[in-house]
Amino acid sequence: MKTNLTNARLVLPHGVETGALSMAEGCFVALDRDGGADLELDCEGDYLIPGLIDIHTDNLEHHFNPRPAVAWPSALMAVLAHDWQMLGAGITTVLDALSLGDYDSAGARTLMLNAAIGAVTDARARGLTRADHYFHFRCELSDPGTVPMLDKHLGNPALRLMSVMDHTPGQRQWKNTRLYRDFRRKKNAQVWTDEEFEAYLEERRANQLKHVGPGRARIGEAGRQYQIRIASHDDTTIADVEESHADGITISEFPTTLEAAQRARELGMKIVMGSPNVVLGKSHSGNVSALDLSAAGLLDILTSDYVPVSLLHAAFILSDKGVPLHEAIAKVTSTPAEVLGFSDRGRIAPGLRADLLRVRLVDGQPVIRNIWVNGNRVV
């Protein structure tokens, strides 16, 4: 079936043009109306933009553990609820970011991760998901449970990205251990006495010394063996960035300082920031502002992180701040597609997969009116 979308503002790789768009057999087939369509829709001047590509969302885990100490009993229902939430935010290709490592859960987290990976894989194979789901494994280097979990799932063909993290308190994002302690209290209801917290810090630092080096080596080896891209996470100092680059890492995800982002750019790394940072106008944890990085030309990709709906909103905020709209949209479509090797999507161009959003500005904010996935209208 051929569909013509007319009277639209097309966000194309080189700019925004008013015109029409045709889709057939799951692909874009023309950038101008050429007649003979089975279905025709007047877009009333709305924007047509490629479906969003999100390389890091924590949203799936929220559906498996919606409250502290609550494990949702149906893995399939958790996955499908997550899928619809991502699709509703305009995200048609998503890398579900799962944080590998058992932390302090005595095995409960490992069970959840296995269930989540299995349920996404099964739902994807059975055609139950609307968005196209892949995996981003966030590898906590200091945790002894990370490498065994990684080795268990390395052969999953949906694994497209790994990132290396070291959240040992006292460095990087958690240089201030008081902030770390307060964060764990709020997020995990973890309350320590002063003596307990000091003992915990000693244990985490010992794990860091024991596991970070071998973990980095194993992840680098796995990336080369399976041709999986690797990102750094929360690089804070120039030395952090240079260590990542020396390991062959080409993606700097969530650098926490301007200096780290500048060095990443000098080394040719792609810089990824969270779209909630843009919408809020600042980092919720006191790190560098994504808007400041954008103004300095140090922002390549946006990702939804912990708020799916923020991804589209952030792109339009960047446009309001002076970034040409087609360049802002590229940060959530064509650039992540290029970085992750998705050659069939991310742009409106003949022959590419027809993942598409119809968007109208309402009070200056982007509202999705229709969504097509692989040429099929789903919203």
Side-chain angles (χ1 to χ4, degrees):
M1 185 177 82
K2 187 174 184 181
T3 301
N4 277 350
L5 306 177
T6 64
N7 189 22
R9 284 181 284 181
L10 308 174
V11 182
L12 304 173
H14 57 273
V16 179
E17 295 182 4
T18 299
L21 176 64
S22 297
M23 300 179 289
E25 298 181 1
C27 294
F28 298 119
V29 295
L31 299 182
D32 294 299
R33 182 176 180 180
D34 60 0
D38 300 286
L39 176 66
E40 189 164 301
L41 177 64
D42 184 347
C43 292
E44 302 174 347
D46 294 340
Y47 290 103
L48 291 179
I49 69 175
L52 308 185
I53 298 175
D54 190 1
I55 73 170
H56 178 147
T57 176
D58 299 336
N59 195 60
L60 178 61
E61 290 198 24
H62 295 166
H63 286 277
F64 274 81
N65 293 125
R67 290 287 187 273
V70 173
W72 203 248
S74 172
L76 177 61
M77 291 297 100
V79 167
L80 295 184
H82 160 66
D83 175 61
W84 275 106
Q85 191 170 3
M86 301 308 293
L87 185 69
I91 298 164
T92 55
T93 300
V94 53
L95 269 62
D96 295 323
L98 297 172
S99 187
L100 271 57
D102 204 55
Y103 304 94
D104 311 314
S105 73
R109 183 171 183 80
T110 294
L111 293 175
M112 183 276 288
L113 289 169
N114 284 327
I117 293 167
V120 170
T121 301
D122 180 56
R124 189 172 183 266
R126 294 165 66 186
L128 298 177
T129 53
R130 298 299 182 121
D132 200 12
H133 288 259
Y134 297 85
F135 291 116
H136 169 179
F137 285 174
R138 304 174 59 217
C139 302
E140 181 56 61
L141 296 173
S142 62
D143 193 287
T146 295
V147 169
M149 173 64 72
L150 176 65
D151 287 341
K152 179 179 176 65
H153 294 288
L154 265 176
N156 193 309
L159 178 57
R160 297 296 289 253
L161 180 66
M162 299 184 293
S163 57
V164 290
M165 313 182 298
D166 182 2
H167 284 123
T168 302
Q171 60 162 20
R172 297 180 186 249
Q173 183 180 7
W174 300 118
K175 188 172 184 179
N176 186 322
T177 56
R178 180 184 59 80
L179 291 179
Y180 175 84
R181 185 175 180 177
D182 189 50
F183 173 81
R184 289 292 304 276
R185 177 182 60 81
K186 292 178 179 178
K187 182 177 181 180
N188 306 109
Q190 177 67 61
V191 179
W192 289 285
T193 66
D194 289 345
E195 293 77 13
E196 289 171 339
F197 187 59
E198 285 303 317
Y200 175 78
L201 291 182
E202 288 184 16
E203 179 185 5
R204 290 296 301 270
R205 289 163 182 160
N207 280 339
Q208 181 188 48
L209 290 173
K210 182 177 181 180
H211 298 292
V212 168
R216 274 188 176 274
R218 175 63 186 126
I219 291 162
E221 176 188 16
R224 291 186 293 273
Q225 179 182 357
Y226 290 90
Q227 297 183 320
I228 301 168
R229 290 154 180 83
I230 304 176
S232 63
H233 186 83
D234 288 346
D235 284 345
T236 299
T237 67
I238 290 174
D240 292 338
V241 177
E242 291 177 343
E243 179 183 33
S244 298
H245 185 260
D247 286 342
I249 292 172
T250 58
I251 304 168
S252 176
E253 185 182 47
F254 307 157
T256 66
T257 63
L258 177 62
E259 293 76 17
Q262 288 172 329
R263 186 57 178 147
R265 171 63 78 246
E266 291 168 359
L267 293 172
M269 301 172 75
K270 292 293 186 182
I271 300 169
V272 181
M273 294 294 285
S275 52
N277 188 316
V278 172
V279 176
L280 294 171
K282 61 180 181 179
S283 164
H284 77 282
S285 55
N287 298 326
V288 69
S289 164
L291 290 174
D292 288 345
L293 292 190
S294 176
L298 298 172
L299 176 58
D300 299 304
I301 295 172
L302 286 171
T303 189
S304 75
D305 197 6
Y306 59 97
V307 184
V309 76
S310 68
L311 193 58
L312 181 63
H313 192 187
F316 277 85
I317 288 174
L318 290 184
S319 178
D320 290 341
K321 298 291 184 181
V323 178
L325 181 60
H326 69 285
E327 294 183 9
I329 293 298
K331 297 180 192 301
V332 295
T333 56
S334 60
T335 304
E338 178 184 356
V339 167
L340 293 174
F342 290 115
S343 60
D344 63 340
R345 67 194 72 185
R347 294 175 289 121
I348 296 175
L352 295 190
R353 176 181 163 117
D355 294 342
L356 188 70
L357 310 180
R358 176 186 173 191
V359 176
R360 175 173 295 183
L361 292 182
V362 177
D363 296 331
Q365 299 174 82
V367 175
I368 297 172
R369 304 196 69 200
N370 299 118
I371 301 173
W372 290 263
V373 174
N374 207 25
N376 297 310
R377 182 170 165 177
V378 294
V379 174

